[in-house]
mmCIF file of all heavy atoms in Angstrom:
data_model
loop_
_atom_site.group_PDB
_atom_site.id
_atom_site.type_symbol
_atom_site.label_atom_id
_atom_site.label_comp_id
_atom_site.label_asym_id
_atom_site.label_seq_id
_atom_site.Cartn_x
_atom_site.Cartn_y
_atom_site.Cartn_z
ATOM 1 N N ARG A 382 95.953 108.030 -108.288
ATOM 2 C CA ARG A 382 95.007 108.971 -108.891
ATOM 3 C C ARG A 382 93.563 108.546 -108.608
ATOM 4 O O ARG A 382 92.685 109.388 -108.375
ATOM 5 C CB ARG A 382 95.242 109.079 -110.393
ATOM 6 C CG ARG A 382 94.367 110.141 -111.077
ATOM 7 C CD ARG A 382 94.703 110.259 -112.543
ATOM 8 N NE ARG A 382 94.559 108.992 -113.219
ATOM 9 C CZ ARG A 382 95.272 108.607 -114.279
ATOM 10 N NH1 ARG A 382 96.201 109.394 -114.769
ATOM 11 N NH2 ARG A 382 95.071 107.435 -114.848
ATOM 12 N N SER A 383 93.311 107.250 -108.621
ATOM 13 C CA SER A 383 91.968 106.773 -108.296
ATOM 14 C C SER A 383 91.580 107.166 -106.871
ATOM 15 O O SER A 383 90.462 107.623 -106.618
ATOM 16 C CB SER A 383 91.904 105.250 -108.449
ATOM 17 O OG SER A 383 92.133 104.864 -109.784
ATOM 18 N N LEU A 384 92.511 107.002 -105.930
ATOM 19 C CA LEU A 384 92.231 107.378 -104.554
ATOM 20 C C LEU A 384 92.018 108.883 -104.422
ATOM 21 O O LEU A 384 91.180 109.340 -103.625
ATOM 22 C CB LEU A 384 93.369 106.926 -103.644
ATOM 23 C CG LEU A 384 93.482 105.416 -103.425
ATOM 24 C CD1 LEU A 384 94.757 105.080 -102.665
ATOM 25 C CD2 LEU A 384 92.269 104.874 -102.686
ATOM 26 N N ALA A 385 92.759 109.664 -105.208
ATOM 27 C CA ALA A 385 92.551 111.112 -105.207
ATOM 28 C C ALA A 385 91.137 111.450 -105.671
ATOM 29 O O ALA A 385 90.462 112.321 -105.096
ATOM 30 C CB ALA A 385 93.583 111.790 -106.095
ATOM 31 N N ALA A 386 90.676 110.755 -106.710
ATOM 32 C CA ALA A 386 89.309 110.972 -107.193
ATOM 33 C C ALA A 386 88.286 110.550 -106.141
ATOM 34 O O ALA A 386 87.260 111.213 -105.955
ATOM 35 C CB ALA A 386 89.089 110.202 -108.491
ATOM 36 N N TYR A 387 88.555 109.436 -105.457
ATOM 37 C CA TYR A 387 87.680 109.026 -104.361
ATOM 38 C C TYR A 387 87.527 110.161 -103.353
ATOM 39 O O TYR A 387 86.421 110.443 -102.866
ATOM 40 C CB TYR A 387 88.273 107.825 -103.617
ATOM 41 C CG TYR A 387 88.209 106.482 -104.282
ATOM 42 C CD1 TYR A 387 87.776 106.310 -105.583
ATOM 43 C CD2 TYR A 387 88.604 105.342 -103.581
ATOM 44 C CE1 TYR A 387 87.738 105.055 -106.160
ATOM 45 C CE2 TYR A 387 88.569 104.088 -104.135
ATOM 46 C CZ TYR A 387 88.135 103.943 -105.428
ATOM 47 O OH TYR A 387 88.102 102.698 -105.987
ATOM 48 N N ARG A 388 88.643 110.786 -102.990
ATOM 49 C CA ARG A 388 88.622 111.819 -101.948
ATOM 50 C C ARG A 388 87.760 113.017 -102.337
ATOM 51 O O ARG A 388 87.126 113.631 -101.480
ATOM 52 C CB ARG A 388 90.055 112.270 -101.643
ATOM 53 C CG ARG A 388 90.850 111.284 -100.814
ATOM 54 C CD ARG A 388 92.309 111.684 -100.660
ATOM 55 N NE ARG A 388 92.472 112.998 -100.049
ATOM 56 C CZ ARG A 388 93.659 113.553 -99.800
ATOM 57 N NH1 ARG A 388 94.779 112.906 -100.119
ATOM 58 N NH2 ARG A 388 93.728 114.745 -99.235
ATOM 59 N N MET A 389 87.734 113.357 -103.632
ATOM 60 C CA MET A 389 87.015 114.558 -104.044
ATOM 61 C C MET A 389 85.637 114.264 -104.625
ATOM 62 O O MET A 389 84.965 115.154 -105.144
ATOM 63 C CB MET A 389 87.845 115.352 -105.046
ATOM 64 C CG MET A 389 88.076 114.664 -106.380
ATOM 65 S SD MET A 389 89.259 115.567 -107.428
ATOM 66 C CE MET A 389 88.401 117.124 -107.680
ATOM 67 N N ALA A 390 85.178 113.011 -104.507
ATOM 68 C CA ALA A 390 83.902 112.623 -105.118
ATOM 69 C C ALA A 390 82.714 113.256 -104.398
ATOM 70 O O ALA A 390 82.554 113.101 -103.183
ATOM 71 C CB ALA A 390 83.759 111.112 -105.116
ATOM 72 N N ASP A 391 81.877 113.957 -105.151
ATOM 73 C CA ASP A 391 80.561 114.378 -104.658
ATOM 74 C C ASP A 391 79.520 113.306 -104.955
ATOM 75 O O ASP A 391 78.603 113.068 -104.160
ATOM 76 C CB ASP A 391 80.133 115.685 -105.329
ATOM 77 C CG ASP A 391 81.037 116.843 -104.952
ATOM 78 O OD1 ASP A 391 81.216 117.091 -103.758
ATOM 79 O OD2 ASP A 391 81.570 117.490 -105.877
ATOM 80 N N VAL A 392 79.679 112.674 -106.123
ATOM 81 C CA VAL A 392 78.789 111.595 -106.552
ATOM 82 C C VAL A 392 79.658 110.447 -107.059
ATOM 83 O O VAL A 392 80.621 110.673 -107.793
ATOM 84 C CB VAL A 392 77.836 112.057 -107.674
ATOM 85 C CG1 VAL A 392 76.958 110.896 -108.153
ATOM 86 C CG2 VAL A 392 76.985 113.228 -107.216
ATOM 87 N N ALA A 393 79.327 109.239 -106.666
ATOM 88 C CA ALA A 393 79.980 108.042 -107.201
ATOM 89 C C ALA A 393 78.982 107.333 -108.116
ATOM 90 O O ALA A 393 77.850 107.070 -107.708
ATOM 91 C CB ALA A 393 80.416 107.116 -106.078
ATOM 92 N N LEU A 394 79.411 107.037 -109.337
ATOM 93 C CA LEU A 394 78.555 106.331 -110.299
ATOM 94 C C LEU A 394 79.068 104.908 -110.453
ATOM 95 O O LEU A 394 80.184 104.681 -110.927
ATOM 96 C CB LEU A 394 78.568 107.050 -111.650
ATOM 97 C CG LEU A 394 77.824 106.348 -112.794
ATOM 98 C CD1 LEU A 394 76.363 106.115 -112.442
ATOM 99 C CD2 LEU A 394 77.951 107.153 -114.084
ATOM 100 N N VAL A 395 78.253 103.948 -110.043
ATOM 101 C CA VAL A 395 78.593 102.527 -110.114
ATOM 102 C C VAL A 395 77.376 101.825 -110.710
ATOM 103 O O VAL A 395 76.411 101.536 -110.003
ATOM 104 C CB VAL A 395 78.936 101.956 -108.728
ATOM 105 C CG1 VAL A 395 79.313 100.482 -108.840
ATOM 106 C CG2 VAL A 395 80.080 102.741 -108.084
ATOM 107 N N ASN A 396 77.400 101.583 -112.025
ATOM 108 C CA ASN A 396 76.179 101.120 -112.704
ATOM 109 C C ASN A 396 76.379 99.841 -113.506
ATOM 110 O O ASN A 396 75.955 99.743 -114.657
ATOM 111 C CB ASN A 396 75.675 102.222 -113.643
ATOM 112 C CG ASN A 396 76.627 102.485 -114.805
ATOM 113 O OD1 ASN A 396 77.850 102.532 -114.612
ATOM 114 N ND2 ASN A 396 76.091 102.653 -116.013
ATOM 115 N N PRO A 397 77.018 98.808 -112.936
ATOM 116 C CA PRO A 397 77.280 97.613 -113.729
ATOM 117 C C PRO A 397 76.007 96.926 -114.221
ATOM 118 O O PRO A 397 74.960 96.974 -113.572
ATOM 119 C CB PRO A 397 78.043 96.708 -112.764
ATOM 120 C CG PRO A 397 77.579 97.143 -111.413
ATOM 121 C CD PRO A 397 77.430 98.637 -111.536
ATOM 122 N N ILE A 398 76.150 96.276 -115.369
ATOM 123 C CA ILE A 398 75.080 95.411 -115.862
ATOM 124 C C ILE A 398 74.816 94.298 -114.850
ATOM 125 O O ILE A 398 73.671 93.925 -114.586
ATOM 126 C CB ILE A 398 75.477 94.809 -117.224
ATOM 127 C CG1 ILE A 398 75.557 95.912 -118.283
ATOM 128 C CG2 ILE A 398 74.513 93.713 -117.649
ATOM 129 C CD1 ILE A 398 76.200 95.450 -119.575
ATOM 130 N N ARG A 399 75.899 93.811 -114.275
ATOM 131 C CA ARG A 399 75.815 92.723 -113.300
ATOM 132 C C ARG A 399 77.203 92.610 -112.678
ATOM 133 O O ARG A 399 78.213 92.711 -113.373
ATOM 134 C CB ARG A 399 75.411 91.428 -114.011
ATOM 135 C CG ARG A 399 74.893 90.313 -113.116
ATOM 136 C CD ARG A 399 74.262 89.275 -114.023
ATOM 137 N NE ARG A 399 74.034 88.003 -113.402
ATOM 138 C CZ ARG A 399 72.925 87.664 -112.738
ATOM 139 N NH1 ARG A 399 71.966 88.549 -112.615
ATOM 140 N NH2 ARG A 399 72.787 86.462 -112.217
ATOM 141 N N ASP A 400 77.269 92.413 -111.379
ATOM 142 C CA ASP A 400 78.558 92.375 -110.707
ATOM 143 C C ASP A 400 78.451 91.501 -109.471
ATOM 144 O O ASP A 400 77.455 91.580 -108.743
ATOM 145 C CB ASP A 400 78.980 93.794 -110.292
ATOM 146 C CG ASP A 400 80.479 94.020 -110.415
ATOM 147 O OD1 ASP A 400 81.227 93.041 -110.265
ATOM 148 O OD2 ASP A 400 80.882 95.164 -110.659
ATOM 149 N N GLY A 401 79.479 90.679 -109.248
ATOM 150 C CA GLY A 401 79.462 89.823 -108.074
ATOM 151 C C GLY A 401 79.348 90.621 -106.797
ATOM 152 O O GLY A 401 78.528 90.320 -105.921
ATOM 153 N N MET A 402 80.156 91.675 -106.667
ATOM 154 C CA MET A 402 80.077 92.574 -105.524
ATOM 155 C C MET A 402 80.193 94.003 -105.999
ATOM 156 O O MET A 402 79.262 94.770 -106.020
ATOM 157 C CB MET A 402 81.169 92.242 -104.495
ATOM 158 C CG MET A 402 81.221 93.189 -103.308
ATOM 159 S SD MET A 402 79.645 93.394 -102.426
ATOM 160 C CE MET A 402 79.395 91.744 -101.787
ATOM 161 N N ASN A 403 81.356 94.427 -106.401
ATOM 162 C CA ASN A 403 81.782 95.765 -106.812
ATOM 163 C C ASN A 403 82.306 96.534 -105.612
ATOM 164 O O ASN A 403 81.571 97.226 -104.892
ATOM 165 C CB ASN A 403 80.706 96.583 -107.517
ATOM 166 C CG ASN A 403 81.331 97.773 -108.256
ATOM 167 O OD1 ASN A 403 81.867 98.667 -107.622
ATOM 168 N ND2 ASN A 403 81.303 97.736 -109.571
ATOM 169 N N LEU A 404 83.620 96.401 -105.394
ATOM 170 C CA LEU A 404 84.257 97.041 -104.249
ATOM 171 C C LEU A 404 84.371 98.550 -104.409
ATOM 172 O O LEU A 404 84.450 99.264 -103.405
ATOM 173 C CB LEU A 404 85.631 96.427 -103.998
ATOM 174 C CG LEU A 404 85.632 95.087 -103.264
ATOM 175 C CD1 LEU A 404 87.061 94.623 -103.029
ATOM 176 C CD2 LEU A 404 84.893 95.182 -101.940
ATOM 177 N N VAL A 405 84.374 99.060 -105.649
ATOM 178 C CA VAL A 405 84.456 100.510 -105.827
ATOM 179 C C VAL A 405 83.281 101.190 -105.125
ATOM 180 O O VAL A 405 83.428 102.250 -104.509
ATOM 181 C CB VAL A 405 84.505 100.881 -107.320
ATOM 182 C CG1 VAL A 405 84.367 102.389 -107.521
ATOM 183 C CG2 VAL A 405 85.817 100.407 -107.941
ATOM 184 N N ALA A 406 82.100 100.576 -105.218
ATOM 185 C CA ALA A 406 80.921 101.140 -104.557
ATOM 186 C C ALA A 406 81.123 101.235 -103.051
ATOM 187 O O ALA A 406 80.537 102.101 -102.386
ATOM 188 C CB ALA A 406 79.695 100.279 -104.863
ATOM 189 N N LYS A 407 81.941 100.353 -102.495
ATOM 190 C CA LYS A 407 82.204 100.356 -101.063
ATOM 191 C C LYS A 407 83.387 101.252 -100.709
ATOM 192 O O LYS A 407 83.439 101.822 -99.611
ATOM 193 C CB LYS A 407 82.471 98.926 -100.581
ATOM 194 C CG LYS A 407 81.264 98.004 -100.695
ATOM 195 C CD LYS A 407 81.527 96.657 -100.064
ATOM 196 C CE LYS A 407 80.243 95.835 -99.944
ATOM 197 N NZ LYS A 407 80.446 94.579 -99.203
#
Side-chain angles (χ1 to χ4, degrees):
R382 185 177 57 210
S383 297
L384 290 172
Y387 286 7
R388 284 174 58 179
M389 66 188 297
D391 295 306
V392 177
L394 174 58
V395 181
N396 67 317
I398 293 169
R399 197 167 164 89
D400 216 330
M402 176 54 65
N403 196 294
L404 281 182
V405 171
K407 294 187 169 186

